[in-house]
Amino acid sequence: MVPCYCTSKAAPRKISSQFKSNKNGEVKERKFDGDFNRRVINPMPINQLSHPLFKSDQRIEMRVPMFRPEALTEAAVGTVMQFPLSQDDTIKAYGVPTNVLMDFRVLSKPCSVIRDVTLSLIDTLDTANQKSSKDTRLVLTGSAGCGKSFLMLQAVEYCSASNWITLYVPRGITTVDSSSHYVYDPQTRTYLQPEYSYQLLRRFLSVNSRQLAELSTRKGFSVDDLSVPAESPLTDLIQVGLDDERLAPAILSRVLEEVSQQNTFPVLMAVDDIQAVYRTSLYRDPHYRPILSQYLSVPRLILEYACGSKFFTRGAFLGAVSTANTRFKMPIELSEALGLPLPRPAGPYYHRSSELEHYAGGLRNFPVPEQLNVGEAASLFEVWMADKALHSGEVRTLDNEQVYKPTDELFMSKFCEASGNPRSFVWNGLMATMNSL
């Protein structure tokens, strides 16, 4: 049987290239997905911000503590902390969801507020440190804009800083939206995603290079004229997938298998927009029929760890649902597994996929509060005020210039208008003050 090579039906994306030389001095070209590159936060240099608007006032300069595991105590609730942005940090390597990226692009520093639910989730992950991921398979749920994506990012940053091996998929929809090419594999009767697997594998190595360097393969791996013997460094196996993109799906699956069997480090797999992998994908087979998500290599890996058929010896699985994209609504099978209200009327005779019910089995609902409390909202308000992002309030003269001095009345009015919803408070409340300019 001849493999069937399929191409995406989506519009072509911009691919950038980077040339690197190996140990032998040979120059190789590596391709980087444009969608991933757009997730990297690249602020403008300070010396280019010459307009008086960008001059910092030392009396209200934005100073926030760094996000550190040891700082996450009861006393930290209501405190805004900034995420690190080192070269191999989670945010720069994996990227962030679109709504989170928009917040980070407006603020001068990527920040988030520590909430009560943050400590609850971290305590759960600390308990999962010594347990199988079968016992800790959570899905963050809640109304739109309640902070699920920020909470997941906090969990991933916490685990990464606490010596966990982390695999983070910030935009689960990109695994099923036909945005990368795919190849039919007659042996497994599934569709491989070499480009996406390559990108994910490269970022996985970048974030976890220190931990992976201490691990060795338990089994040998060989394909064509390439072979990686047993007891080789795990990084050697990953390098095979990075040298040949066609092998990336098989290498990604084998690497996760190796990582799941070791007990030196706990492992976290976190997937945002997880409801997307429980639905029919936007990919098409050669007969132009929609491909079910479980027959794509990357979504299938996610589903196998979500349902517990594959698991980490130490660690957890974490998902988060989203309602931002109406093409990928919550499926009934996942809603029933999590005990959520059904998205539409569905009686006992409504067709349910037995496969999706299997993949959703054992997942636990982790509800995120719909509202910020007053202390948490006040901390966000102060950060936006210190970053000169508010343009309403009392007009005062400071150094012969008229500036806006936000007031308590402005804070309470915006907080009440949003009914405490975090996204509405920031985007429909604080950001709306710019309309007064």
Side-chain angles (χ1 to χ4, degrees):
M1 181 179 290
V2 179
C4 175
Y5 293 85
C6 303
T7 56
S8 170
K9 300 297 180 183
R13 294 165 300 141
K14 182 179 180 181
I15 302 294
S16 58
S17 301
Q18 177 177 344
F19 293 87
K20 296 187 68 176
S21 57
N22 57 20
K23 297 180 180 179
N24 300 326
E26 299 174 348
V27 177
K28 289 187 175 182
E29 179 184 3
R30 290 192 176 182
K31 295 182 179 180
F32 295 88
D33 183 271
D35 184 65
F36 278 92
N37 287 336
R38 286 195 294 271
R39 302 174 194 181
V40 179
I41 302 169
N42 297 314
M44 291 180 63
I46 296 178
N47 57 6
Q48 294 184 16
L49 305 177
S50 57
H51 192 278
L53 178 64
F54 300 108
K55 293 182 179 179
S56 298
D57 184 349
Q58 297 298 326
R59 284 167 289 186
I60 57 173
E61 183 179 359
M62 181 180 172
R63 293 188 180 93
V64 292
M66 192 65 68
F67 186 92
R68 295 177 291 108
E70 58 271 18
L72 301 180
T73 62
E74 291 290 343
V77 174
T79 302
V80 174
M81 295 185 179
Q82 63 171 308
F83 294 115
L85 283 180
S86 60
Q87 188 61 35
D88 296 330
D89 190 72
T90 302
I91 292 179
K92 280 205 169 186
Y94 289 122
V96 293
T98 303
N99 58 320
V100 177
L101 179 61
M102 293 301 102
D103 284 358
F104 287 173
R105 286 195 183 278
V106 174
L107 287 174
S108 59
K109 300 176 182 177
C111 305
S112 70
V113 62
I114 306 303
R115 306 169 63 183
D116 287 325
V117 69
T118 304
L119 301 186
S120 299
L121 181 57
I122 286 174
D123 289 342
T124 303
L125 293 175
D126 285 339
T127 303
N129 190 316
Q130 301 298 328
K131 294 182 178 180
S132 166
S133 64
K134 272 187 174 182
D135 301 326
T136 311
R137 290 176 285 132
L138 310 175
V139 176
L140 307 181
T141 62
S143 61
C146 68
K148 300 181 291 295
S149 295
F150 270 99
L151 180 60
M152 172 172 282
L153 184 58
Q154 289 174 338
V156 173
E157 286 283 354
Y158 173 81
C159 290
S160 181
S162 301
N163 208 29
W164 285 51
I165 295 175
T166 57
L167 179 64
Y168 179 38
V169 180
R171 304 179 187 183
I173 291 178
T174 59
T175 66
V176 295
D177 66 354
S178 189
S179 58
S180 61
H181 74 271
Y182 54 114
V183 181
Y184 180 71
D185 181 15
Q187 293 183 344
T188 61
R189 295 184 180 181
T190 59
Y191 291 85
L192 306 181
Q193 298 170 286
E195 181 185 356
Y196 195 97
S197 300
Y198 168 81
Q199 297 290 342
L200 193 58
L201 195 62
R202 186 173 64 85
R203 285 158 174 77
F204 182 70
L205 176 61
S206 174
V207 174
N208 307 290
S209 57
R210 183 177 54 82
Q211 295 95 324
L212 295 176
E214 300 181 25
L215 302 178
S216 300
T217 58
R218 296 172 179 264
K219 301 178 182 178
F221 177 85
S222 61
V223 58
D224 297 334
D225 58 343
L226 297 174
S227 64
V228 179
E231 302 302 325
S232 299
L234 190 55
T235 52
D236 290 353
L237 179 60
I238 296 176
Q239 193 60 45
V240 172
L242 298 182
D243 291 339
D244 189 345
E245 187 179 280
R246 298 173 302 170
L247 302 177
I251 296 297
L252 178 62
S253 179
R254 174 60 69 87
V255 167
L256 289 181
E257 181 182 343
E258 295 283 352
V259 167
S260 65
Q261 295 176 0
Q262 58 81 38
N263 57 8
T264 305
F265 303 102
V267 185
L268 174 69
M269 178 182 287
V271 183
D272 212 334
D273 294 324
I274 194 173
Q275 83 286 344
V277 301
Y278 284 87
R279 300 186 60 87
T280 302
S281 75
L282 300 185
Y283 286 91
R284 301 279 180 165
D285 67 10
H287 301 286
Y288 207 70
R289 293 173 300 194
I291 299 174
L292 299 178
S293 297
Q294 58 266 33
Y295 296 117
L296 294 166
S297 61
V298 175
R300 190 179 185 89
L301 267 179
I302 294 173
L303 291 169
E304 288 174 338
Y305 282 94
C307 72
S309 60
K310 291 184 178 180
F311 58 91
F312 306 112
T313 303
R314 295 172 56 194
F317 178 89
L318 185 63
V321 299
S322 171
T323 58
N325 192 321
T326 56
R327 297 190 70 176
F328 296 94
K329 298 180 180 179
M330 275 287 290
I332 289 180
E333 295 85 355
L334 184 58
S335 297
E336 291 180 334
L338 298 175
L340 300 175
L342 298 182
R344 55 187 177 276
Y349 299 105
Y350 185 88
H351 175 71
R352 292 162 175 82
S353 170
S354 58
E355 287 184 278
L356 293 183
E357 287 181 329
H358 165 72
Y359 286 127
L363 290 173
R364 288 194 291 124
N365 181 15
F366 192 95
V368 179
E370 298 185 3
Q371 299 175 327
L372 296 168
N373 60 41
V374 175
E376 295 165 353
S379 297
L380 283 177
F381 183 82
E382 291 173 358
V383 166
W384 284 78
M385 177 180 66
D387 217 26
K388 295 185 177 182
L390 303 181
H391 300 278
S392 293
E394 296 181 7
V395 180
R396 298 185 180 181
T397 302
L398 183 65
D399 296 335
N400 297 323
E401 293 183 5
Q402 287 189 340
V403 297
Y404 291 100
K405 182 66 176 179
T407 61
D408 292 342
E409 290 78 7
L410 175 64
F411 162 69
M412 288 306 301
S413 65
K414 298 302 180 183
F415 182 72
C416 293
E417 288 172 8
S419 189
N421 182 272
R423 185 188 301 168
S424 296
F425 176 66
V426 172
W427 285 96
N428 299 334
L430 305 184
M431 290 293 292
T433 62
M434 291 187 178
N435 294 334
S436 62
L437 292 178

